[in-house]
Amino acid sequence: MAGTLKQCPNCGYKISGGFFSGSYFWVNKCNNCSRYFCFTCNGSNGGKRCPHCYSEKYSKYQEVNRV
Ligand SMILES: [Zn+2]
Ligand SMILES: [Zn+2]
């Protein structure tokens, strides 16, 4: 395992303080196309579906921690 991610591999979102009150968020991996997305990715419907193929079958991949 390569440890935790620093940003979303898809949209590049990262926690750097400000409006997001948590200290981490989840990057999900699509079970259909094996690509990654998070809750801020365009078209992910808040992280509830894959913005690439619109599948709603995904699993949690890694946490992105506050930098
Ligand atoms: Zn997908
Ligand atoms: Zn993202």
Side-chain angles (χ1 to χ4, degrees), residues 22-42:
S23 58
Y24 73 93
F25 64 94
W26 280 99
V27 168
N28 299 318
K29 182 178 183 179
C30 177
N31 289 350
N32 186 50
C33 71
S34 297
R35 295 173 78 178
Y36 305 108
F37 63 97
C38 75
F39 73 107
T40 68
C41 284
N42 240 350

